[in-house]
């Protein structure tokens, strides 16, 4: 059954993710987030949905958060930071927004599979999130992958990257809760009641 194999591949990628988490990077992300006046998040497509999920949790923690492109997002300043999610690190709209933020003196946090990318070169801190991205599709040898038993095509386009990013960022929320002395009830008290 392909569905079961696909789920196993996704879970394997997430499990391997803990092998390349660097404590110093997590510590830096936490410091930037807690010291910023506001956190702006950006991602395109499904990575954008991951960014919005993270923004919601930051809001639940009481951290000023904006999603780039939403009509209520104010100007970014040097006391703010931007968190950008891009598997390739080359998504034009994200790179452009990050350049503007950097020019305005903001800190730049990046989640990508390609630290050497344009986005990576603009980052103050990079969280490496391995996972098959759209870039990998152009560079793959399909037959070799199948012979090796690597069925990553069951996680199309950026699925592995996006889901691993979501898990990473939820883990970061747990670290923030601990650092800020927040409980689940604190988050629940800030959850919307208009639904």
């Amino acid at each position: 059954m392909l569905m079961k194999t696909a789920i196993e591949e996704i879970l394997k990628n997430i499990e391997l993710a803990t092998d390349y988490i660097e404590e110093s990077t997590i510590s830096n992300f936490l410091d930037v987030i807690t010291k910023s006046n506001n956190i702006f998040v950006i991602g395109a497509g499904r990575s954008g949905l991951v960014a919005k999920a993270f923004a919601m949790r930051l809001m639940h923690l009481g951290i000023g958060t904006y999603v780039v492109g939403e009509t209520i997002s104010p100007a970014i300043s040097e006391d703010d930071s931007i968190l950008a999610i891009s598997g390739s690190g080359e998504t034009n709209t994200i790179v452009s927004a990050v350049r503007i933020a950097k020019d305005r003196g903001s800190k730049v946090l990046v989640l990508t599979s390609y630290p050497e990318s344009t986005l990576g070169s603009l980052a103050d801190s990079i969280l490496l999130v391995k996972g098959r991205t759209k870039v990998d599709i152009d560079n793959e040898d399909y037959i070799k992958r199948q012979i090796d038993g690597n069925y990553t095509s069951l996680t199309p386009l950026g699925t592995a990257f996006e889901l691993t990013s979501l898990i990473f960022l939820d883990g970061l929320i747990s670290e923030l809760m601990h650092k800020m002395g927040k409980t689940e009830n604190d988050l629940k008290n800030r959850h919307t009641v208009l639904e």
Side-chain angles (χ1 to χ4, degrees):
M1 183 173 191
L2 286 179
M3 182 176 167
K4 182 178 178 187
T5 305
I7 291 169
E8 288 169 356
E9 288 299 314
I10 291 166
L11 292 174
K12 188 188 313 178
N13 191 73
I14 292 168
E15 285 177 18
L16 291 173
T18 58
D19 293 344
Y20 49 85
I21 294 175
E22 294 182 9
E23 286 187 37
S24 60
T25 302
I26 300 304
S27 179
N28 192 27
F29 264 60
L30 295 173
D31 285 343
V32 169
I33 290 169
T34 56
K35 292 177 181 173
S36 295
N37 282 349
N38 297 298
I39 308 297
F40 290 74
V41 299
I42 187 169
R46 289 168 39 122
S47 292
L49 297 174
V50 171
K52 286 181 177 185
F54 185 61
M56 184 174 76
R57 288 292 184 241
L58 291 175
M59 177 276 296
H60 289 153
L61 282 169
I63 295 172
T65 308
Y66 296 97
V67 176
V68 174
E70 296 292 325
T71 57
I72 62 165
S73 292
I76 194 167
S77 73
E78 63 187 19
D79 296 326
D80 299 326
S81 62
I82 187 167
L83 183 138
I85 305 171
S86 172
S88 68
E90 299 295 342
T91 308
N92 288 334
T93 54
I94 297 171
V95 170
S96 177
V98 166
R99 279 194 173 120
I100 292 167
K102 189 87 172 170
D103 288 346
R104 295 181 59 86
S106 302
K107 292 281 187 195
V108 176
L109 303 175
V110 169
L111 272 74
T112 187
S113 293
Y114 293 93
E116 69 286 353
S117 64
T118 304
L119 198 56
S121 72
L122 296 167
D124 293 297
S125 190
I126 300 170
L127 186 55
L128 175 63
V129 179
K130 292 186 179 179
R132 184 171 176 262
T133 69
K134 291 175 281 188
V135 171
D136 299 319
I137 294 165
D138 296 333
N139 299 326
E140 288 186 275
D141 181 339
Y142 175 80
I143 294 171
K144 180 183 181 317
R145 204 170 24 81
Q146 295 297 310
I147 290 170
D148 291 342
N150 181 355
Y151 305 107
T152 53
S153 63
L154 298 176
T155 58
L157 301 175
T159 294
F161 171 78
E162 295 145 3
L163 292 176
T164 304
S165 292
L166 181 64
I167 300 296
F168 266 42
L169 292 173
D170 274 349
L172 195 62
I173 291 297
S174 296
E175 289 282 351
L176 282 165
M177 287 175 69
H178 177 73
K179 182 175 179 138
M180 297 171 70
K182 299 280 185 172
T183 66
E184 193 169 3
N185 278 335
D186 294 323
L187 276 69
K188 185 179 178 185
N189 288 336
R190 292 186 55 85
H191 194 281
T192 186
V193 294
L194 301 176
E195 54 184 23

